[in-house]
Amino acid sequence: MAENDLAAFRERWKRELSSKKGEQRLVCAPSSSRDIDDQLGQRDLKNLNKADSHSKPEEGGCAEHERGVRVGGKPAGVAAAAETEDQPQYVSIARSLLDGRTSPLLDRIQEERSRRKRQYHNMTNVCSASLQQQPQGKVKKEEELVDQLIQDLNEVNDIPFFDIELPYEIALKIFQYLNCAELGRCAQNRVGSISQLQFELGKVLCDVSSYDNFVLAGYTSGDVRLWDTLHWDSTASYLKANSLSANTEPRPHVSHVQVNGTLAAAAYEDGCVDLWSTETGGEPIYHYQTPGRIQVLALSPDSPVLISATGSDVRLDCAKDCGYWRTVCQTQLPKTVESMTLVPGRDQQSPLAALAAGESMYLLDPREEEPLMLHSVYGHPVTCLDASESHVAFGVKRTGWAMHDGGNKIHIYTLETRKPTVSVGNSPGDFTCINLRDSSPHLLVCGNKDRRVRVFDLRAGSSVASLYAHHLGVTSVQADDWKIVSGGGEGLVCVWEMRMGAKLWEMHNRHPVRHVRFNTSTLVTANIPDDKSPRGACITDDDLTAHRRHRGVICHYDFSEDALSQDHILPICRSDYIESYGYNYNINLAVPYDRLSGSHPSQ
């Protein structure tokens, strides 16, 4: 049925073109812009439809003679008959798409380019002969116009529309429904690789932490898994739990995990905390238990310091030069600790922690008798915090009766003087995440429940960028000097170009994004379910393994690896702009070229 319709369409088109030829005067240089548009549309459609059509000069002007269309090097009738005998046309097209056939396109591209060159030279010669009979003053102008028109036609048709044995009319019909962004996605190369870090026996994912090449995950089964992305066969990947948690039935869930370059830590629902070496793995090198459930766990990124909070009780442990761990500080705050972080860059100094409890912010230094209250405003609870080597930043929430008292802002304090330096924000939603540690100097990136990602310049106290990112609110964010990576409650991971405010690409998975972390060549994201006991994951169920859609997922993106396969990726999905750059399958790119040569550092 499709072949009959296509044949009827072509025959009707041929008759229409033939009737128009008899009515129009055949000239090479149109006399008006409308004539240019008409000829541009006709020639463009002919170039798309007739891969073997060519132009020949005739007396008094330019005319085109069409030859029979050939498919696969055979006459159209013979090829169609052979395909009809072998298999239906739609089966052949589907099979070609699945096989990623590219060889027919390469021959077709070469034939198309040769045909356009012949057409260009023929039309140029005929036009030159015709223009010699006109006054000399008009020759140069019209000749330039014709040359520009032909050059524009060649540039428009230089990129093939489709790469299989599919008529150009159908390909054009398909692509006319795509907008500019979708056409840009179709024109992308695929560079890099995506790996999903899975532990089938772990059931549901509870928490994820990453640092450089290490990725640490905790599960509802009580297992803790460590991946070394540089050495996938590392013997330290399996971390054993302490004997108390391992012998408890049912085993307690893992509530929090943290990792740095040398240590991995995990807290369990029963109040136990285990600490392992990332080099050896196996048995914990340090263990302790608290009387209640641990609310927050933090590990210093560059020193052997671990801090945990159970309700309002805070405990800080660190290792001495000889390698022995001990508790250096225990204190109690007036309210429950909801978030905390350890200040980086203090490996040669006493550890310093920033803690948020209710409406108050504290600094905990083991050398001092009690925590220092840094900030407190009644009715403005702290919603998120982060710290760099010199500053601490935290977001506060607005309340109804004090809506004009500076709520929903981010306050930045300097750690040297412990005084406020700047206050930014004033959004209608609560700030949910802040990244100050990894941002460029004097910049802060944050996420909000109002669905926006914002970048602030701390020197001027003003907004640098405000991006509408996630319709269920922003849950995690990180930025460097030119790009932003954000995660949302709907499961979407987005990469943004900060200076243009444009989205480069996005990836979606089920469950909210609770962790994003990237460096110069890799990106780690984690979609963690809110429901830790879905159907199929309960100990009383017949199937003790949770369904994959309930488990959550950890994705590792490696952009240093060139996974481009010329044999299996369709040329329509590849761009050619000096060098080939892009990303892997299943990523929706939002611009034609996500990286131009020399414009950004290698990612």
Side-chain angles (χ1 to χ4, degrees):
M1 184 64 181
E3 295 180 358
N4 296 335
D5 294 341
L6 181 59
F9 172 73
R10 285 178 168 170
E11 187 64 28
R12 185 169 61 256
W13 196 0
K14 185 184 298 184
R15 290 197 303 269
E16 182 181 356
L17 293 177
S18 301
S19 62
K20 288 185 178 181
K21 286 181 181 179
E23 298 175 359
Q24 297 179 351
R25 180 169 57 93
L26 299 178
V27 295
C28 293
S31 59
S32 67
S33 60
R34 183 168 183 176
D35 295 335
I36 294 176
D37 295 338
D38 294 340
Q39 290 192 14
L40 175 62
Q42 292 177 10
R43 292 174 186 173
D44 193 15
L45 290 174
K46 288 180 180 179
N47 286 336
L48 294 176
N49 181 38
K50 304 297 183 178
D52 295 329
S53 64
H54 67 286
S55 301
K56 292 184 179 180
E58 290 187 359
E59 182 179 357
C62 296
E64 296 182 359
H65 292 271
E66 300 176 356
R67 296 182 299 175
V69 177
R70 300 177 65 86
V71 180
K74 297 180 180 181
V78 177
E83 288 180 349
T84 304
E85 293 177 0
D86 295 338
Q87 58 187 3
Q89 180 68 18
Y90 67 89
V91 175
S92 176
I93 293 175
R95 183 168 298 173
S96 300
L97 283 171
L98 293 175
D99 295 340
R101 294 177 57 187
T102 60
S103 56
L105 177 66
L106 299 179
D107 297 337
R108 190 167 185 175
I109 292 174
Q110 188 63 31
E111 293 176 2
E112 180 70 11
R113 288 177 177 173
S114 301
R115 184 194 61 78
R116 286 199 300 271
K117 289 182 180 179
R118 293 195 303 269
Q119 179 183 5
Y120 175 77
H121 292 305
N122 291 337
M123 296 181 69
T124 303
N125 294 336
V126 174
C127 291
S128 299
S130 176
L131 291 172
Q132 288 178 359
Q133 303 175 1
Q134 301 179 7
Q136 191 66 22
K138 298 182 179 180
V139 170
K140 184 176 181 179
K141 181 178 180 181
E142 294 186 358
E143 184 177 7
E144 292 178 353
L145 181 61
V146 173
D147 290 342
Q148 184 63 39
L149 173 62
I150 298 174
Q151 182 179 357
D152 292 343
L153 284 174
N154 288 337
E155 289 179 356
V156 169
N157 297 326
D158 190 52
I159 300 177
F161 280 94
F162 228 72
D163 62 328
I164 61 172
E165 298 176 16
L166 188 68
Y168 273 12
E169 299 93 337
I170 297 180
L172 186 61
K173 189 72 173 177
I174 293 173
F175 281 95
Q176 73 178 0
Y177 293 102
L178 304 182
N179 56 32
C180 294
E182 292 167 339
L183 289 173
R185 296 185 185 116
C186 294
Q188 285 301 312
N189 284 310
R190 325 300 183 151
V191 175
S193 63
I194 304 178
S195 303
Q196 289 191 358
L197 309 184
Q198 298 179 353
F199 182 56
E200 300 294 341
L201 300 179
K203 297 186 179 179
V204 180
L205 186 64
C206 292
D207 194 22
V208 174
S209 176
S210 64
Y211 183 88
D212 285 345
N213 55 299
F214 292 111
V215 180
L216 185 67
Y219 296 88
T220 57
S221 63
D223 295 308
V224 180
R225 179 67 188 268
L226 176 68
W227 287 274
D228 185 348
T229 58
L230 294 181
H231 307 90
W232 293 101
D233 56 348
S234 174
T235 57
S237 61
Y238 182 69
L239 305 178
K240 297 181 179 179
N242 63 86
S243 58
L244 180 62
S245 299
N247 295 328
T248 303
E249 290 295 338
R251 292 183 61 182
H253 297 179
V254 178
S255 56
H256 305 282
V257 295
Q258 290 284 296
V259 66
N260 61 18
T262 58
L263 297 170
Y268 300 87
E269 293 286 342
D270 60 355
C272 291
V273 175
D274 289 339
L275 192 68
W276 299 270
S277 168
T278 57
E279 297 180 0
T280 60
E283 298 290 340
I285 60 174
Y286 186 60
H287 165 76
Y288 65 87
Q289 186 177 16
T290 60
R293 181 181 182 274
I294 294 178
Q295 302 289 338
V296 191
L297 182 72
L299 182 66
S300 174
D302 48 21
S303 58
V305 180
L306 179 68
I307 186 171
S308 60
T310 304
S312 60
D313 297 324
V314 180
R315 171 173 174 166
L316 191 147
D317 297 76
C318 65
K320 296 302 180 181
D321 297 336
C322 56
Y324 292 101
W325 283 78
R326 68 183 184 92
T327 303
V328 296
C329 179
Q330 284 185 304
T331 187
Q332 187 175 29
L333 299 180
K335 293 186 177 181
T336 301
V337 178
E338 297 176 353
S339 58
M340 63 184 179
T341 185
L342 286 163
V343 177
R346 298 181 65 90
D347 52 336
Q348 302 298 327
Q349 309 176 48
S350 175
L352 182 64
L355 305 94
E359 302 94 350
S360 303
M361 272 293 305
Y362 298 90
L363 286 180
L364 176 61
D365 190 336
R367 297 172 299 182
E368 299 179 0
E369 295 182 357
E370 59 182 18
L372 172 67
M373 180 180 291
L374 197 65
H375 173 91
S376 182
V377 176
Y378 180 76
H380 289 181
V382 178
T383 58
C384 55
L385 71 90
D386 193 24
S388 65
E389 296 183 4
S390 58
H391 292 83
V392 59
F394 53 92
V396 295
K397 181 179 181 180
R398 170 187 299 168
T399 56
W401 64 271
M403 60 182 302
H404 300 294
D405 286 349
N408 287 0
K409 288 183 176 292
I410 295 179
H411 300 284
I412 295 91
Y413 281 69
T414 178
L415 295 175
E416 183 178 0
T417 62
R418 301 182 180 181
K419 299 294 183 180
T421 59
V422 67
S423 177
V424 297
N426 196 20
S427 66
D430 303 338
F431 288 101
T432 55
C433 51
I434 297 177
N435 184 260
L436 179 65
R437 179 177 308 177
D438 305 301
S439 301
S440 299
H442 311 295
L443 290 182
L444 177 147
V445 61
C446 59
N448 198 289
K449 284 186 177 180
D450 66 358
R451 312 171 183 179
R452 288 190 172 273
V453 173
R454 292 178 174 86
V455 181
F456 293 100
D457 187 342
L458 302 183
R459 294 167 295 184
S462 59
S463 174
V464 175
S466 179
L467 309 171
Y468 184 87
H470 305 276
H471 65 273
L472 291 183
V474 185
T475 54
S476 54
V477 69
Q478 184 185 347
D480 60 10
D481 56 346
W482 70 271
K483 67 177 177 295
I484 306 170
V485 179
S486 62
E490 75 286 346
L492 199 65
V493 175
C494 300
V495 179
W496 308 83
E497 212 287 346
M498 185 187 305
R499 289 166 289 190
M500 296 188 302
K503 184 189 296 183
L504 298 180
W505 57 268
E506 62 186 24
M507 173 67 83
H508 180 266
N509 284 293
R510 190 188 298 265
H511 307 301
V513 180
R514 300 297 182 187
H515 177 81
V516 295
R517 183 81 182 180
F518 68 86
N519 54 28
T520 56
S521 60
T522 61
L523 167 66
V524 176
T525 65
N527 296 71
I528 301 176
D530 292 329
D531 186 5
K532 298 299 189 295
S533 300
R535 180 178 177 83
C538 180
I539 194 65
T540 59
D541 291 340
D542 296 333
D543 182 11
L544 300 182
T545 303
H547 194 280
R548 187 178 297 272
R549 66 174 178 266
H550 300 309
R551 298 176 186 172
V553 62
I554 306 172
C555 293
H556 176 264
Y557 304 78
D558 185 0
F559 301 111
S560 63
E561 178 180 350
D562 188 354
L564 179 63
S565 174
Q566 297 290 340
D567 297 331
H568 299 287
I569 298 179
L570 306 180
I572 191 65
C573 298
R574 295 203 297 264
S575 58
D576 184 12
Y577 190 89
I578 303 177
E579 294 184 14
S580 302
Y581 291 110
Y583 293 98
N584 210 307
Y585 300 95
N586 198 29
I587 298 183
N588 299 325
L589 292 156
V591 294
Y593 307 101
D594 64 323
R595 188 177 78 171
L596 303 183
S597 179
S599 61
H600 298 308
S602 175
Q603 293 299 321

